[in-house]
Every structure is written in structure tokens, then in C-alpha cells.
Amino acid sequence: HQSNNMTETFKTEPETKEIAVVKTQATKALTAAQELEIKSPEQMTLATILLSKMKTVAKMIKERKETITRPLMEALNSSRDLFKPIEANLADAERVVKGKMLDYQQVIDAENEKKRLALAKKVETGYMKPETAVAKMEKIEDAPTTVQGSVGAITFRNVKKVRLAELGTLGGADLEYLAKTGLIEWSSSARMEALKGMKVPGAEVYEEKVVASRST
């Protein structure tokens, strides 16, 4: 009932007499301001009085507006507080699932790397012919980069990220360079420049595999 009451209040308030009064006063203030001419001390005094009246009307508008917006904001904050832990649980659940997917990918990648190294070792020792090793390597199945479910699909992709060193670990020349280029604050611009290929002392660009999911 509270929500419905607030909705009705929001709909009907603009039609109340009090709102109509301040609306009229604001319109009159605008007209007076547009017609105002200041060419004498007396007119300057009148302008001062006009501004004072505007301040009074502005205060009335603010107070009336807040009687409408305050309960709405309180309801909004209450709704956010209600859903925040629910959304956090869902975000954690998604993070856990994606983490396990990435763990599985890493296991497959590691196993395949061992197989390839073992085949290469056999070639080096003369235990296996190169063409035989190549044929076996071609049969090694890499971990899938996309997975399609009965509903939804996921894609594994590598994204470039930037790892920044602590400024205290950098030498004087590096710090001087960063100061000259405006990147000394380790701001987002420093990360962007590094991602673009610019050499930024103390910045290491690396790739990280992530899971992108979509619903179908």
C-alpha cells in the first residue's frame, strides 16, 4: 500500500494549490528578470529585492519537492538494500562457475603441453620419427574455446591487462620519464598507453583468459 500511496502522491502533487503557487511565482520571477533594466542605483536596489524574493521562492520549491522526493529516495534505497545481497550471491555464483571452467581449461592445456613435450623429447632422442610425432601432435585435442549448451553459450578469450609495479621499485630515470609523459600517477591513462604498445616503465602487459557467457 505504501508504494501505491507514493505513486498516487507523485501523480497528484503537481496539481495541488501549493505547487501552482510556486509555479506562478517562478514564472513571475522570470518575467520580472527579463523586463528588468538596471541603469540607476534605485533599479539596482529593486534588482536586489527581486533576487531576495527569488531565493525565498527557491527555498519553498526545494522544501515542497523534498516532501515528494524524500520518500521516493527512501523507497529506492530500501529496494537496493533488499536486492544487494541477492545480486551479490548471484555474482559470486557466476564467478565460481567461471573459475571452475577456467581451471578445467588450464588442466587440459597443461596435459596437452606435457604430451607435446614428451613427443618432442622422443624425436630428440631418436626414439620417434619427426613425421610420426607431428601426426600424433595433430591428434591432440585442444580445450574448446566455445561451448554451446541447450540454453546459453560461453566463449573463452584472452584479454590483455596491465600489471603496474610499485613506484618505489623504479629507478630515477624511469620516474623522470613517467613525470615527463604525465603518467606518474599510475592513472588509467598509463594502463591505456601500455595496452596501445607504448613503453611504460614498470608496466607489464599480460594476457588473461576469461569466460564470456551469453543466454540464448
Side-chain angles (χ1 to χ4, degrees):
H1 292 297
Q2 183 180 2
S3 178
N4 290 337
N5 290 339
M6 284 192 298
T7 303
E8 290 302 317
T9 299
F10 184 73
K11 288 181 179 178
T12 58
E13 283 293 352
E15 302 171 3
T16 63
K17 182 178 179 180
E18 191 173 351
I19 297 297
V21 170
V22 292
K23 181 179 180 181
T24 300
Q25 290 176 335
T27 302
K28 288 182 177 179
L30 178 59
T31 301
Q34 292 171 337
E35 295 176 351
L36 176 67
E37 289 187 359
I38 302 178
K39 296 182 178 179
S40 68
E42 291 78 12
Q43 289 174 327
M44 179 66 78
T45 300
L46 291 175
T48 302
I49 295 172
L50 179 59
L51 281 178
S52 178
K53 290 182 178 180
M54 289 180 184
K55 291 290 185 182
T56 301
V57 175
K59 184 178 179 182
M60 292 171 58
I61 293 173
K62 181 181 178 182
E63 290 175 351
R64 197 69 193 97
K65 179 178 67 175
E66 288 183 349
T67 62
I68 299 173
T69 59
R70 189 178 295 112
L72 294 176
M73 291 301 298
E74 289 174 354
L76 177 61
N77 291 333
S78 178
S79 297
R80 286 174 174 168
D81 291 341
L82 175 64
F83 285 98
K84 187 175 182 179
I86 300 173
E87 292 170 335
N89 283 344
L90 185 60
D92 285 343
E94 182 176 341
R95 177 182 54 79
V96 169
V97 172
K98 287 183 176 180
K100 291 181 178 181
M101 287 178 165
L102 290 170
D103 288 343
Y104 174 74
Q105 285 280 95
Q106 291 173 357
V107 169
I108 299 299
D109 289 342
E111 289 178 351
N112 287 344
E113 183 64 17
K114 284 183 179 180
K115 292 177 182 178
R116 292 187 177 96
L117 289 175
L119 290 171
K121 187 69 174 178
K122 289 180 179 180
V123 172
E124 289 179 6
T125 58
Y127 184 79
M128 182 180 291
K129 294 180 179 180
E131 55 270 25
T132 303
V134 170
K136 288 182 176 291
M137 286 184 182
E138 289 177 349
K139 292 181 180 180
I140 296 175
E141 293 186 9
D142 291 326
T145 56
T146 60
V147 179
Q148 178 69 52
S150 58
V151 290
I154 60 103
T155 302
F156 293 92
R157 56 190 178 89
N158 292 324
V159 296
K160 286 187 176 181
K161 295 188 176 183
V162 179
R163 186 182 293 113
L164 299 176
E166 293 291 336
L167 289 178
T169 64
L170 301 180
D174 288 340
L175 291 175
E176 183 179 352
Y177 172 83
L178 291 173
K180 287 181 179 179
T181 54
L183 302 176
I184 192 66
E185 295 181 356
W186 268 171
S187 62
S188 58
S189 61
R191 297 179 185 275
M192 290 300 297
E193 293 299 332
L195 287 173
K196 290 177 183 177
M198 175 180 174
K199 184 177 180 181
V200 179
E204 175 193 356
V205 179
Y206 65 99
E207 286 193 350
E208 182 176 296
K209 185 173 287 187
V210 298
V211 180
S213 62
R214 66 180 187 276
S215 58
T216 56

